[in-house]
Amino acid sequence: MSYGRAPRRRFALLAATVAAGALTLSACSGEGPKAGGGGNTNFVTGSGGISTVAKGDRADAPELDGTTLHGEKLDVSDYKGKIVVLNFWGSWCGPCRAEAKHFEKVAQETKGDGVQFVGVNTRDTQKTLAINFEEDFGVTYPSLYDPTGKLLLRFPKGTLNPQAIPSTVVIDRNGKLAARSLAALDADRLRDMIKPLVAEK
């Protein structure tokens, strides 16, 4: 009987919608997609979930520029010569709230080592929510405002691209993608991620 086809189609659509929702929830739970993705990615994921690339194999960071939450122009390439810690976050994301105080603490600790923190606020349709988040958690470093997620799409596939919220990507002094985490970080794990790059000559 042909009338059974429409219900099956609706069921398939419903199943796809549920799967997409589950992926969104898992991304914000700090249990984002596993690193890798086929091909010659050149990065290694350690037991702590932090992926790293050897110095000679690193890809160039994409152009990341725009306006901050406070309306100022910011171009990440202006920080070349420093280590840049990019944190992709949203005020709606529970794990982002958990890690915010750790990021501010380590940002202050590592300023003297030539480390610059930059946030990328994404999927916040109301800028005031993101600004309130920064005030609540005492975040003082700048955040690019990226409500549609276009900056995330600038990262080439097969590189250390952000694939979940939160994600953290570290750019070395030469503007290359060096390390990534697809889960929330505490201060100790964040320090462990940055230290090897500070030590590089």
Side-chain angles (χ1 to χ4, degrees):
M1 290 190 289
S2 62
Y3 62 80
R5 187 175 297 167
R8 278 199 299 274
R9 221 178 263 146
R10 279 198 293 272
F11 177 78
L13 181 61
L14 177 63
T17 303
V18 170
L23 177 61
T24 302
L25 290 173
S26 71
C28 193
S29 73
E31 299 173 3
K34 302 298 181 193
N40 184 17
T41 58
N42 289 327
F43 57 82
V44 176
T45 304
S47 58
I50 295 172
S51 303
T52 57
V53 180
K55 191 172 183 180
D57 295 329
R58 294 172 188 164
D60 290 333
E63 184 70 22
L64 298 169
D65 59 346
T67 306
T68 69
L69 287 170
H70 299 281
E72 299 167 349
K73 295 289 184 187
L74 190 152
D75 188 336
V76 171
S77 66
D78 289 342
Y79 294 123
K80 196 167 182 180
K82 291 189 173 187
I83 295 160
V84 179
V85 179
L86 295 171
N87 180 238
F88 296 83
W89 64 277
S91 67
W92 43 268
C93 167
C96 300
R97 302 178 76 81
E99 72 178 5
K101 64 182 180 182
H102 299 291
F103 273 70
E104 176 61 25
K105 180 179 182 181
V106 177
Q108 295 300 327
E109 291 174 358
T110 56
K111 269 184 183 178
D113 295 321
V115 179
Q116 173 65 50
F117 277 62
V118 176
V120 179
N121 171 258
T122 189
R123 309 276 182 353
D124 267 316
T125 55
Q126 296 181 39
K127 195 184 284 188
T128 52
L129 295 175
I131 291 172
N132 289 341
F133 176 102
E134 288 189 327
E135 290 174 354
D136 289 346
F137 293 99
V139 176
T140 59
Y141 52 83
S143 279
L144 287 163
Y145 182 51
D146 184 32
T148 61
K150 65 181 181 181
L151 294 180
L152 284 76
L153 300 177
R154 293 186 185 178
F155 286 76
K157 286 185 178 180
T159 66
L160 296 177
N161 54 328
Q163 297 176 8
I165 305 299
S167 285
T168 301
V169 176
V170 184
I171 301 172
D172 69 16
R173 293 186 181 96
N174 298 311
K176 308 274 189 180
L177 300 171
R180 178 189 66 185
S181 171
L182 297 177
L185 298 169
D186 61 18
D188 288 338
R189 291 182 66 217
L190 183 55
R191 288 188 200 99
D192 289 344
M193 194 175 180
I194 298 168
K195 274 180 188 174
L197 296 168
V198 171
E200 283 183 357
K201 301 301 181 187

